[in-house]
Amino acid sequence: MNVDAQISEYYDKLLKRNAGEPEFHQAVAEILHSLRFVLEKDPHYADFGLIERLCEPERQLIFRVPWIADGGEIRVNRGFRVQFNSALGPYKGGLRFHPSVNLGIIKFLGFEQIFKNSLTGLPIGGGKGGSDFDPKGKSEGEIMRFCQSFMTELHRHIGEYRDVPAGDIGVGGREIGFLFGQYRRLTDNHESGVLTGKGLAWGGSLVRKEATGFGSVYITEEMMASQGESLSGAKVIVSGSGNVAIYAAHKAQELGATVVAMSDSSGYVHTPQGVDIELLRDVKEVRRERMSTYAAEAGEGVSYVDGGNIWEVAADVALPCATQNELDGESAQLLVDNGLRYVAEGANMPSTPEAIRVFEQSGVHFAPGKAANAGGVATSALEMQQNASRDSWSFDYTDERLRTIMSNIFKNVDATAKEYGREGDYVLGANIHGFKKVADAMLAQGVI
């Protein structure tokens, strides 16, 4: 059977086995497309059911999360943890609290995490978790009670040498604090490395909050440098307004770019003179208000477009930092028509396959999320190192470690794309480089 037939047969089986999980199907399809090139050159990677094992989680946990609202009503949500692959080390990946969360989304995120974590060069496997709980509109007490109930089940399945969750959408420092407190209460130990994204006073790491956003900009800087360009003077769009977006905007402007637009789920702000980072942090991190509030307080030249499409703004660089499949083919073409040259995904799989195709056909340099947003998990692994050694590193030292990791990711992705005759195809380079490290470990460890 030739390689294309092998891949198609396996993908058909996966679709039937994992029905109703389109995000997971999309993530696997992208990897399998790249693996065609690997299997033609190195057919031994098809041995011992390797690809089938790689696409099947080692463990999938689904559990009930009952909690009590302020008014005394009993609410019930569903919790998930998918421990996908531990060939390189303990499972590592965030927890997402959002109404859209279901098993298929957690599997897609966990699958992507395998390769992302592999690309960092650090000894961490891939996993992901979360719940369909929505923290928006909930009181502090309700969020605490939910987190405590969630951890009451999750604590049985995690540990600093087994599975180390972190934050994601809807899970920031507040939620990590409640989760960690309940873990300590239930286990009666001070295993500080069991969660990352902790507060600085109780085992957290400097740069962790900034890391995903900073990292996406560092890899953009490397990508532009490979073409003889820099961020200085560039116009940048950053979608989203959470941690990733805020600190991507921060670092882009620090390196000389102008962030001309940012967004939230209601619309976007057009900021032709750049973003006021301190005001943005106050509005989003302190007051937890909408981007419309930022626009109202930012002064002259800033406008808010209710329900608009942020990708209609002209820019040199796009950093999609909101959520999966936020940037479709039509929006990608709009960006290209307006002069876009670079994209780095700060979110997980924010560009649809149609959008990626437009970028490839138009010669736009595109860094996929598993490479471009690996800074968050990389710095989480650095937090684990500090916890294990009972040490605390300076901001500058940790940031330099992050920058080095992101630089190495780009160099490895670039070199792998060239090795397989696809220079500039960073999707293929990231997929293959991430895959081969995990695959080699799985083959060395036998059929388990």
Side-chain angles (χ1 to χ4, degrees):
M1 188 183 297
N2 65 34
V3 168
D4 284 348
Q6 276 182 293
I7 293 288
S8 295
E9 181 181 301
Y10 176 67
Y11 187 61
D12 287 343
K13 285 170 59 180
L14 181 133
L15 292 178
K16 293 174 185 175
R17 191 180 180 92
N18 302 273
E21 299 175 353
E23 295 86 1
F24 179 52
H25 301 162
Q26 181 181 337
V28 173
E30 182 195 285
I31 291 289
L32 293 180
H33 175 75
S34 297
L35 293 191
R36 297 172 192 270
F37 295 86
V38 178
L39 296 180
E40 286 172 357
K41 184 177 179 182
D42 301 301
H44 74 280
Y45 283 119
D47 296 342
F48 305 107
L50 176 69
I51 294 173
E52 189 166 1
R53 286 190 287 138
L54 183 67
C55 295
E56 184 71 20
E58 293 174 11
R59 190 173 294 106
Q60 301 179 65
L61 307 168
I62 305 177
F63 51 94
R64 181 181 66 196
V65 188
W67 56 281
I68 303 173
D70 287 341
E73 308 94 338
I74 304 298
R75 305 283 173 81
V76 178
N77 285 95
R78 183 171 286 177
F80 304 90
R81 187 68 182 172
V82 173
Q83 297 172 331
F84 223 115
N85 190 290
S86 59
L88 297 180
Y91 309 105
K92 185 82 193 77
L95 299 170
R96 174 176 294 191
F97 293 170
H98 191 272
S100 66
V101 166
N102 56 43
L103 181 60
I105 284 179
I106 296 300
K107 284 170 68 175
F108 127 63
L109 293 168
F111 186 71
E112 287 278 293
Q113 201 78 42
I114 300 169
F115 308 101
K116 182 189 303 185
N117 294 0
S118 173
L119 286 169
T120 68
L122 299 167
I124 44 178
K128 206 76 178 183
S131 173
D132 55 4
F133 173 78
D134 188 358
K136 288 182 180 177
K138 305 295 191 302
S139 72
E140 196 97 342
E142 288 176 324
I143 291 170
M144 180 184 71
R145 290 190 291 275
F146 172 82
C147 289
Q148 290 173 339
S149 182
F150 184 87
M151 184 54 78
T152 297
E153 176 59 34
L154 186 66
H155 85 280
R156 312 169 201 274
H157 311 287
I158 62 176
E160 62 181 326
Y161 301 111
R162 182 182 184 187
D163 183 356
V164 183
D168 194 87
I169 293 171
V171 180
R174 173 184 59 184
E175 289 77 17
I176 291 292
F178 293 148
L179 292 163
F180 184 61
Q182 183 72 351
Y183 180 84
R184 289 182 53 241
R185 181 188 197 184
L186 293 166
T187 59
D188 194 29
N189 70 43
H190 293 266
E191 195 179 288
S192 59
V194 72
L195 286 167
T196 56
K198 300 182 294 296
L200 295 177
W202 38 280
S205 173
L206 290 164
V207 190
R208 177 59 192 90
K209 181 167 67 171
E210 298 88 349
T212 308
F214 278 18
S216 65
V217 174
Y218 290 150
I219 209 164
T220 302
E221 187 181 36
E222 292 281 345
M223 186 165 53
M224 295 179 78
S226 73
Q227 303 301 313
E229 297 189 68
S230 77
L231 276 163
S232 182
K235 293 181 179 179
V236 179
I237 298 171
V238 180
S239 69
S241 54
N243 264 0
V244 180
I246 290 170
Y247 290 102
H250 176 166
K251 182 56 68 172
Q253 293 196 161
E254 191 177 274
L255 295 175
T258 301
V259 174
V260 295
M262 293 188 72
S263 64
D264 61 17
S265 57
S266 299
Y268 74 87
V269 290
H270 186 208
T271 55
Q273 304 306 313
V275 170
D276 181 337
I277 297 296
E278 290 310 309
L279 175 60
L280 178 66
R281 290 182 59 192
D282 178 59
V283 169
K284 300 303 295 186
E285 294 184 340
V286 179
R287 290 185 271 161
R288 299 178 184 269
E289 296 185 13
R290 312 297 294 175
M291 289 302 286
S292 54
T293 301
Y294 172 87
E297 298 180 13
E300 191 175 349
V302 176
S303 58
Y304 177 71
V305 182
D306 187 26
N309 180 5
I310 191 173
W311 310 117
E312 66 191 9
V313 178
D316 306 301
V317 178
L319 303 177
C321 296
T323 191
Q324 68 266 11
N325 292 326
E326 60 171 295
L327 204 174
D328 61 18
E330 187 176 331
S331 293
Q333 190 60 58
L334 195 58
L335 285 165
V336 169
D337 292 344
N338 284 331
L340 185 82
R341 301 198 305 281
Y342 298 92
V343 178
E345 295 186 317
N348 290 303
M349 206 170 73
S351 307
T352 66
E354 294 76 20
I356 295 171
R357 197 172 304 119
V358 169
F359 294 142
E360 288 176 344
Q361 292 171 353
S362 304
V364 171
H365 303 279
F366 177 82
K370 60 176 63 69
N373 67 40
V377 73
T379 307
S380 280
L382 300 183
E383 182 176 329
M384 292 166 65
Q385 288 185 30
Q386 292 169 76
N387 293 159
S389 62
R390 301 294 186 266
D391 200 359
S392 182
W393 302 342
S394 71
F395 188 98
D396 289 344
Y397 177 76
T398 311
D399 189 31
E400 190 55 40
R401 290 283 305 270
L402 169 64
R403 195 166 198 155
T404 299
I405 289 168
M406 299 310 296
S407 175
N408 288 339
I409 288 174
F410 178 78
K411 289 171 183 174
N412 289 332
V413 166
D414 186 41
T416 301
K418 290 173 181 173
E419 177 188 346
Y420 283 84
R422 302 275 295 186
E423 183 171 356
D425 187 344
Y426 303 133
V427 173
L428 180 136
N431 288 341
I432 293 179
H433 190 80
F435 164 79
K436 289 179 74 172
K437 185 177 177 184
V438 178
D440 288 342
M442 291 176 69
L443 290 173
Q445 294 169 30
V447 179
I448 55 174

